[in-house]
């Protein structure tokens, strides 16, 4: 017989069973909420926690008491954008809820100890019988492990397993990002493409395991020497690439390449053997091109660097620079070898007492006997040295050579050595000076260091300290090119200056330009007023010398008293051939124009050993002294 509607059947019986359960709500709450293996919290509609289950406490690292009454915002990860900014809206029919409750799906949270965790969040609105929303049950499922595994897989796909560096696959993305960022900032992206020279030979000789070790050591060093905004990538066996964001110009890129190459300065130790590596480098930079084009350019520069089996060459993609840039880069590479191949020379230019031309000492001026370009003046290569770590090597060489040379001169002759700002600022400068003095036996008071105004002006405290150590030992300090900087007087106050050298640009027209004359007059007075020695540089003719003497300048240097010249070799001194030494005149076009009517040179002031000094003073040299001429211009 069919049952009439309303007759209690099986479904009705089930309902009664639930009624029975509901009779003990506490038990139900315990079973469904408190003992649930999923983190759950009952939260009011504004997002304040009413009660949290033990799993929620365990997951978030907080006690039930510390969660109760707190806003769920507490659990959000502080590095994520505020949930309120996400524009979340309740589903149709859902009451207005705190946005933290609406954020269903995968999200990141933070535990009380600061560690991050990933969860899948969901929420359920619980209503009264009349449909009024009462609270929300928030559920969080911990997916941190799964998320880590995924991230790991992604990382592995984009990482070179041997070195831990990003691999070629990661490169395009990084490059695209770098190009976009640099373009926004109005800068360029630079690529340094490195290839270790003769790596196959290492593999062959030491085995692949040693080769691998070497590569990972190299990669580690590369990683340490990049800036945070640069990315080092391993492209292939022995090929690496560094992507540098925000490169201003080629100089900036060169400086970076140089820093990277310096990782090869120290030998590597593998299987108890020291191995010295070199690398060839291709450079390019740009911003208005695709990552692929940039990569092609870097590759093409590298190919050029390795052409003809070359090693340790740096090449720049031609489109990325002018010819003079190319020259400069090659120069820099060559300069690295110059030090090792004994191609640097010191020339010495006399410094004299202006009133009677007594020889007071010499300024050491560096020259480079370039294998193909001939004798190069400092202006042709010092910048290349300044741009990289050669500065200190070169500076150390000059200092040591000059002290050794000066120690062989007469006891009253001093030597002036130019010191670059960069070298002066380096650690260990004062020790270097001390070592040069000790090795040569030159008394400190016979050494004067020449620094420029800007060096003095911008010197950091550590530099000032290094200078103080040196001057305390008795070495003196000269301010070179005095008057050319914009704050000469400030510079004078920062350092214990002993001598100022009035720049030759002033001396050049001191006689003809009244304004220059007034300025030099002022500089002379300033120097005297401060109790400093004053040397006028670049005196080329008699009028200049006479003017300076009249205005109280005591010391002088310039072609009028002798051009820079190398020390004669002992043999030359003996046979009295000092006039034939290859002085600057030999350098031809490298020289500044000689004075129109060169004054007769004074006694040839070629630096020499004390014996040689006597020889040169009587040697077969110029016709008379400058002041012979001054006295009798008709002769
Ligand atoms: P500086 O220290 O002011 O050196 C004087 C420069 O003036 C020298 O040029 C010298 O040859 C030139 N000179 C001297 N008398 C005359 C003259 O009568 N007429 C003209 N026209 N020029 C004269 P140089 O040797 O080319 O050196 C240029 C600069 O290079 C030096 O200027 C100095 O700043 C720097 N320099 C030279 N050697 C070294 C070095 O060993 N280390 C460092 N850091 N810088 C150096
Ligand atoms: Mg100088
Ligand atoms: Mg000077």
């Amino acid at each position: 017989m069919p049952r009439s509607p309303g007759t209690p059947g099986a479904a009705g019986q089930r309902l009664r069973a639930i009624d029975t359960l509901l009779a003990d709500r506490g038990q139900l709450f315990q079973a469904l909420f408190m003992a649930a293996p999923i983190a759950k919290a009952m939260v009011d509609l504004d997002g304040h926690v009413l009660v949290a289950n033990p799993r929620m406490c365990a997951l978030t690292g907080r006690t039930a008491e510390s969660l109760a009454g707190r806003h769920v915002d507490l659990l959000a990860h502080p590095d994520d954008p505020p949930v309120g900014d996400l524009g979340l809206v309740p589903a149709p029919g859902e009451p207005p809820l705190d946005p933290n409750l609406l954020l269903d799906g995968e999200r990141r949270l933070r535990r009380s100890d600061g560690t991050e965790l990933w969860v899948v969040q969901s929420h359920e609105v619980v209503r009264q019988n009349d449909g009024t929303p009462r609270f929300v049950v928030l559920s969080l499922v911990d997916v941190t492990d799964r998320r880590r595994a995924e991230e790991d897989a992604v990382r592995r796909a984009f990482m070179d397993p041997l070195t831990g560096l990003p691999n070629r696959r990661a490169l395009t993305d990084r490059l695209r990002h770098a190009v976009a960022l640099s373009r926004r900032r109005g800068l360029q992206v630079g690529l340094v493409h490195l290839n270790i020279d003769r790596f196959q030979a290492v593999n062959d000789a030491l085995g692949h395991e040693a080769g691998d070790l070497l590569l990972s050591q190299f990669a580690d060093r590369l990683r340490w020497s990049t800036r945070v905004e640069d990315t080092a990538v391993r492209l292939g066996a022995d090929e690496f690439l560094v992507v540098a964001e925000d490169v201003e110009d080629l100089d900036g890129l060169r400086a970076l390449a140089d820093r990277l190459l310096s990782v090869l300065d120290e030998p590597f130790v593998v299987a108890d053997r020291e191995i010295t590596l070199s690398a060839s480098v291709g450079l390019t930079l740009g911003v208005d091109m695709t990552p692929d084009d940039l990569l092609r350019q870097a590759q093409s520069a590298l190919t050029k660097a390795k052409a003809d089996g070359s090693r340790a060459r740096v090449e720049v993609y031609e489109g990325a620079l002018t010819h003079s840039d190319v020259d400069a880069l090659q120069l820099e590479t060559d300069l690295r070898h110059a030090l090792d191949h004994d191609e640097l020379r010191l020339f010495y230019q006399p410094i004299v007492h202006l009133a009677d031309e007594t020889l007071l000492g010499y300024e050491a001026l560096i020259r480079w006997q370039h294998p193909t370009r001939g004798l190069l003046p400092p202006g042709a290569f010092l910048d290349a040295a300044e741009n990289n770590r050669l500065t200190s090597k070169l500076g150390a060489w000059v200092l040591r050579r000059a002290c050794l040379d000066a120690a062989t001169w007469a006891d009253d002759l001093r030597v002036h050595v130019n010191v670059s700002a960069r070298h002066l600022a380096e650690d260990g400068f004062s020790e270097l000076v001390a070592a040069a003095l000790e090795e040569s036996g030159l008394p400190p008071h016979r050494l004067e260091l020449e620094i420029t105004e800007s060096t003095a002006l911008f010197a950091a405290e550590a530099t000032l300290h290094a200078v103080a150590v040196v001057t305390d030992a008795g070495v003196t300090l000269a301010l070179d090119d005095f008057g050319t900087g914009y704050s000469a007087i400030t510079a004078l106050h920062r350092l214990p200056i002993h001598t100022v050298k009035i720049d030759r640009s002033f001396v050049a027209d001191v006689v003809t330009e009244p304004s220059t004359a007034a300025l030099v007059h002022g500089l002379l007075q300033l120097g005297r007023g401060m109790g400093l020695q004053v040397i006028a540089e670049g005196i080329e003719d008699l009028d200049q010398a006479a003017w300076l003497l009249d205005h109280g300048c005591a010391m002088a240097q310039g072609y009028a008293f002798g051009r820079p010249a190398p020390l004669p070799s002992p043999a030359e001194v003996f046979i009295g051939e000092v006039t034939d030494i290859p002085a600057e005149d030999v350098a031809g076009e490298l020289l500044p124009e000689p004075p129109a009517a060169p004054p007769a040179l004074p006694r040839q002031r070629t630096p020499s050993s004390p014996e040689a000094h006597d020889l040169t003073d009587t040697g077969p040299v110029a016709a008379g002294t400058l002041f012979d001429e001054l006295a009798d211009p008709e002769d």
Side-chain angles (χ1 to χ4, degrees):
M1 200 176 129
R3 212 175 286 140
S4 60
T7 315
Q13 276 167 9
R14 272 202 299 278
L15 261 176
R16 270 200 303 278
I18 292 173
D19 280 347
T20 315
L21 263 174
L22 279 176
D24 185 352
R25 287 191 185 182
Q27 205 186 325
L28 185 66
F29 179 72
Q30 177 66 30
L32 293 183
F33 185 84
M34 295 306 274
I38 291 173
K40 283 175 182 287
M42 286 158 71
V43 184
D44 73 12
L45 306 181
D46 294 335
H48 294 92
V49 177
L50 301 168
V51 54
N53 74 358
R55 183 75 196 112
M56 176 65 86
C57 296
L59 188 67
T60 59
R62 294 172 193 277
T63 61
E65 294 72 33
S66 72
L67 279 171
R70 300 295 297 276
H71 196 279
V72 282
D73 203 12
L74 174 76
L75 306 178
H77 198 285
D79 295 345
D80 287 339
V83 179
D85 293 355
L86 299 178
L88 299 168
V89 285
E94 214 177 36
L97 296 175
D98 183 90
N100 278 284
L101 302 176
L102 295 174
L103 193 68
D104 286 350
E106 205 158 300
R107 69 176 297 201
R108 184 163 66 148
L109 298 178
R110 192 168 72 158
R111 290 195 185 87
S112 63
D113 64 3
T115 54
E116 73 168 28
L117 82 148
W118 283 88
V119 296
V120 173
Q121 173 178 318
S122 61
H123 77 282
E124 192 68 38
V125 181
V126 178
R127 298 166 190 269
Q128 281 172 201
N129 284 345
D130 64 359
T132 314
R134 282 300 306 276
F135 57 85
V136 169
V137 175
L138 191 70
S139 307
L140 304 178
V141 178
D142 184 2
V143 293
T144 310
D145 289 345
R146 197 247 302 143
R147 182 86 191 196
R148 292 260 155 81
E150 276 171 13
E151 280 172 1
D152 252 25
V154 171
R155 201 174 302 129
R156 271 200 302 276
F158 289 95
M159 192 185 80
D160 167 52
L162 175 65
T163 60
L165 291 180
N167 61 13
R168 190 183 279 275
R169 210 190 274 171
L171 179 64
T172 321
D173 194 45
R174 304 257 168 140
L175 207 48
R176 197 169 293 122
H177 171 81
V179 167
L181 206 77
S182 299
R183 185 182 294 138
R184 267 207 302 280
R185 295 179 180 156
L187 296 164
Q188 312 197 64
V189 173
L191 297 192
V192 182
H193 196 159
L194 299 117
N195 185 296
I196 300 179
D197 295 325
R198 293 175 31 90
F199 187 71
Q200 189 53 44
V202 175
N203 263 342
D204 293 346
L206 301 179
H208 283 260
E209 212 170 297
D212 281 358
L213 262 172
L214 203 57
L215 285 172
S216 46
Q217 286 183 26
F218 176 73
D220 283 345
R221 292 189 189 181
L222 210 57
R223 207 184 340 245
W224 296 330
S225 64
T226 49
R227 308 169 303 173
V228 269
E229 58 269 39
D230 305 333
T231 309
V233 175
R234 182 174 177 217
L235 288 184
D238 54 356
E239 258 182 63
F240 295 81
L241 187 112
V242 174
V243 180
E245 284 171 15
D246 293 355
V247 176
E248 225 163 88
D249 51 21
L250 194 61
D251 280 348
L253 184 62
R254 262 197 295 241
L256 171 71
D258 195 68
R259 199 170 59 239
L260 296 177
L261 280 173
S262 71
V263 307
L264 299 170
D265 284 354
E266 291 288 314
F268 294 81
V269 179
V270 170
D272 289 335
R273 296 174 72 153
E274 281 203 350
I275 298 160
T276 304
L277 294 181
S278 68
S280 303
V281 177
L283 298 178
T284 193
L285 82 173
V287 80
D288 284 320
M289 61 186 88
T290 64
D292 280 351
D293 285 345
L294 264 176
L295 286 173
R296 254 193 299 275
Q297 290 189 359
Q299 175 68 59
S300 126
L302 178 63
T303 308
K304 203 164 143 206
K306 294 197 80 98
D308 317 321
S310 282
R311 286 187 224 159
R313 265 170 74 123
V314 179
E315 284 288 346
V316 180
Y317 179 73
E318 283 228 27
L321 32 95
T322 62
H323 277 294
S324 65
D325 287 330
V326 178
D327 284 355
L329 260 170
Q330 193 51 54
L331 197 67
E332 196 178 310
T333 314
D334 291 353
L335 192 51
R336 287 173 197 281
H337 299 287
L339 274 156
D340 304 331
H341 292 78
D342 198 25
E343 291 169 9
L344 297 177
R345 308 271 177 272
L346 281 188
F347 275 29
Y348 290 95
Q349 186 177 30
I351 297 171
V352 301
H353 200 268
L354 191 49
D356 59 7
E357 287 181 74
T358 321
L359 186 62
L360 301 171
Y362 294 95
E363 175 171 8
L365 295 161
I366 195 164
R367 299 290 180 268
W368 178 6
Q369 189 63 58
H370 192 279
T372 55
R373 299 179 182 206
L375 191 68
L376 297 180
F381 63 90
L382 275 189
D383 279 353
E386 274 292 287
N387 285 337
N388 61 48
R389 67 184 188 290
L390 286 174
T391 316
S392 54
K393 263 185 151 182
L394 198 130
W397 180 86
V398 171
L399 206 56
R400 176 170 181 268
R401 186 71 263 155
C403 289
L404 287 169
D405 287 346
T408 67
W409 306 341
D411 283 349
D412 57 341
L413 295 181
R414 309 186 72 218
V415 64
H416 286 230
V417 175
N418 293 284
V419 177
S420 81
R422 191 164 157 177
H423 189 204
L424 191 69
E426 279 192 18
D427 280 350
F429 179 79
S430 52
E431 289 85 349
L432 190 80
V433 175
L437 289 171
E438 189 179 326
E439 184 193 1
S440 60
L442 187 75
H445 70 267
R446 288 182 57 200
L447 174 64
E448 182 145 316
L449 301 179
E450 295 195 1
I451 59 170
T452 61
E453 249 166 40
S454 50
T455 307
L457 212 53
F458 300 119
E461 286 307 314
T463 308
L464 298 182
H465 177 73
V467 170
V469 171
V470 172
T471 50
D472 283 351
V475 173
T476 54
L477 216 56
L479 202 56
D480 208 350
D481 308 341
F482 188 55
T484 55
Y486 54 81
S487 192
I489 299 171
T490 318
L492 283 178
H493 277 292
R494 288 206 81 198
L495 287 165
I497 302 293
H498 175 263
T499 308
V500 292
K501 299 186 77 177
I502 297 181
D503 191 61
R504 69 169 188 267
S505 60
F506 299 122
V507 172
D509 46 24
V510 74
V511 180
T512 50
E513 271 295 326
S515 58
T516 308
L519 195 129
V520 173
H521 187 58
L523 291 179
L524 284 167
Q525 280 184 327
L526 177 70
R528 255 205 318 274
M530 293 185 70
L532 303 171
Q533 307 246 34
V534 181
I535 301 179
E537 286 187 301
I539 300 183
E540 293 185 348
D541 63 40
L542 309 177
D543 292 342
Q544 293 164 350
W547 191 98
L548 285 157
L549 189 61
D550 277 355
H551 289 80
C553 180
M555 293 152 81
Q557 184 180 349
Y559 293 167
F561 306 97
R563 289 178 177 248
L567 278 183
S569 68
E572 282 171 332
V573 170
F574 252 97
I575 54 176
E577 283 182 344
V578 281
T579 46
D580 294 336
I581 49 171
E584 297 240 289
D585 319 60
V586 183
E589 74 281 1
L590 300 172
L591 275 174
E593 277 295 297
L601 280 175
R603 288 176 292 278
Q604 178 65 37
R605 298 189 182 277
T606 304
S608 51
S609 59
E611 315 85 83
H613 228 74
D614 298 333
L615 254 182
T616 51
D617 270 353
T618 54
V621 287
T625 70
L626 174 65
F627 286 92
D628 290 343
E629 286 216 359
L630 267 180
D632 187 1
E634 296 311 312
D635 279 358

